[in-house]
Every structure is written in C-alpha cells, then in structure tokens.
Amino acid sequence: MSSPPPLLPPRELTSLLEPPPPSRSAGDGPEVWLVRPTRHTAELPRVSDLLSDAERRRADAFRADADRVLYTGAHVALRLLLGARLDVPPTKIELVREPCPCCDEPHGRPALAGGGGPHFSLSHSGDLALIALAPTPVGADVERLPRARTVDEVAGSLHPREAKELAGLPTAERPVAFARTWARKEAYLKGIGTGLGRSLDLDYVGSGPTPAAGPDGWRLADVPVDEGYAAAVALATR
C-alpha cells in the first residue's frame, strides 16, 4: 500500500462572515483549519444564528464569556466549512452522533445526518480551535500545554512506553512532550469514535517530535499551531 500524502499546513479561517475558500488538501489527506474565535468577537453576534437550537443552548450555558466565544466561534466555523463543501446553507447542516464502539450508545463520532459528505472532527482549547475534514474517518485535537503537576499526575495513565519516555525527560521538557502525546492520542480516540472511553494505556502514539507509526489502519500527524499549544490529526487509511 502506498504511503498517505503528507499533511499540508493548516489554513486559518480569517472571517466568520464569508464562505471559506475552496478546499485544499494533500490528495486524500485531511483538510485542516485553525480558528481563533477571540479575533472574531465583533462578528459573532451576526453569525451566531447559524447555530442549531441545541448549540445555542450549549453556548448560553457557559458561565465564562471566553468559553462561550470559543464554543460559538468553533461551531459556526464548522458549519461554514461543511456548508461550503456541501454547497448548502450552514443552517441546513444537521449533525448527529454515531454509535460509540464501546457501548453502542449515540455518543460516538459526530457525523452528518443521513451520511455522505466529508468526515470531520472539531477540537478547541484555550483560545484556539482546530477543524479537520477528510474523505475517511478523522480525529483532531488541540491542547494547551499543561502544568508540570498535571503531567506528573496523568503520565502514568498513558501507554507504558510513553510514560517511560516522559519520565526520562528533564522536567522542563515534559509539558511539551506530554501535550503532543495527549493530542495525538485523543485525535486517534476521537477518530475511532470512543473518545476517552477507551483506556489511554492501550495505544502507543509516541512522545517524541515525530508521531509513532500507527495504530494499525491509522496515520498520525502533528499540526503546527501557536506557541503554548500542541495539536494533531489522526486519519483512517483504509
């Protein structure tokens, strides 16, 4: 089987008012977008009506303004991208949840109602959102760098090889290595639809500068993002 195409650098959605430009992907690879909702706060009141009723209720439930802005901007951006790819109004996009592979309940991968169209994944953290669209199942994750205490508390729950790699690093280097490990792992778990319902110690994604090969049937790639963050996508290769 030939190697998957390389991951192109992410594009940034520069406006939440205009349709995004034409799709750009590396052959059959994912199309990756960055959204910085805090740069679009003046636009959000004019585009928030693109959200579904359920999304608006979720946005209104956030107590912190920053969390509300991040959620609203990320989900409006997803609707704009999907609407542009399907050539339908963003308000006509109907999103559902696929069955979870662990329990068969409807909280697996998000998908378009009725099937068809691109696979997609959305993640947000801090003031940054990451969206991936692809012809095969895909997962995306972006993470702010954790505190050293968080690394110490959580690293033991990772794959034994990853935990050993992190333990062997100088203390100052561990947050970066942990964040890229976590982003890769969560991107994969979102891609297969389990999320954190699958144990973190089962799959090796690596903590070094380059992701591990696999897991089987999947390709991992880091996404270049702002300093203080780590991000990754996982793409099904079959």
Side-chain angles (χ1 to χ4, degrees):
M1 184 175 63
S2 61
S3 299
L7 177 71
L8 290 172
R11 304 176 81 177
E12 182 170 350
L13 201 67
T14 56
S15 174
L16 292 179
L17 292 174
E18 302 296 333
S23 173
R24 182 200 66 170
S25 64
D28 293 330
E31 177 187 346
V32 184
W33 290 83
L34 292 176
V35 187
R36 295 178 174 85
T38 56
R39 297 184 181 181
H40 305 288
T41 52
E43 302 171 34
L44 289 181
R46 289 174 281 176
V47 295
S48 59
D49 59 352
L50 299 180
L51 298 176
S52 68
D53 291 341
E55 288 168 331
R56 281 195 289 272
R57 288 193 296 271
R58 177 71 183 276
D60 291 341
F62 286 107
R63 294 184 178 181
D65 289 343
D67 294 336
R68 189 178 308 110
V69 166
L70 179 63
Y71 178 90
T72 300
H75 285 259
V76 167
L78 176 63
R79 287 184 168 273
L80 288 170
L81 287 167
L82 290 173
R85 300 299 165 259
L86 298 171
D87 196 25
V88 299
T91 54
K92 298 298 184 182
I93 299 294
E94 184 179 353
L95 304 178
V96 297
R97 286 279 185 172
E98 295 180 345
C100 171
C102 295
C103 64
D104 209 36
E105 293 297 319
H107 53 73
R109 265 196 318 256
L112 292 162
H119 295 269
F120 62 90
S121 185
L122 166 66
S123 177
H124 44 73
S125 179
D127 58 4
L128 188 64
L130 179 70
I131 299 172
L133 310 176
T136 60
V138 65
D141 191 62
V142 60
E143 299 288 339
R144 278 197 296 194
L145 298 192
R147 298 177 179 176
R149 180 178 177 180
T150 301
V151 177
D152 292 340
E153 292 173 348
V154 182
S157 65
L158 301 176
H159 189 280
R161 288 175 61 189
E162 295 162 351
K164 184 176 180 180
E165 290 167 2
L166 291 169
L169 292 175
T171 301
E173 296 179 16
R174 289 176 190 166
V176 172
F178 177 88
R180 62 191 175 209
T181 304
W182 189 275
R184 295 166 187 169
K185 192 174 295 282
E186 190 157 351
Y188 169 65
L189 296 178
K190 291 169 72 174
I192 63 176
T194 66
L196 297 178
R198 180 176 170 86
S199 180
L200 297 172
D201 63 359
L202 294 178
D203 309 292
Y204 178 71
V205 299
S207 65
T210 303
D216 188 41
W218 287 80
R219 171 192 169 223
L220 303 175
D222 292 340
V223 178
V225 288
D226 300 1
E227 185 176 357
Y229 292 83
V233 294
L235 180 70
T237 57
R238 61 184 183 188

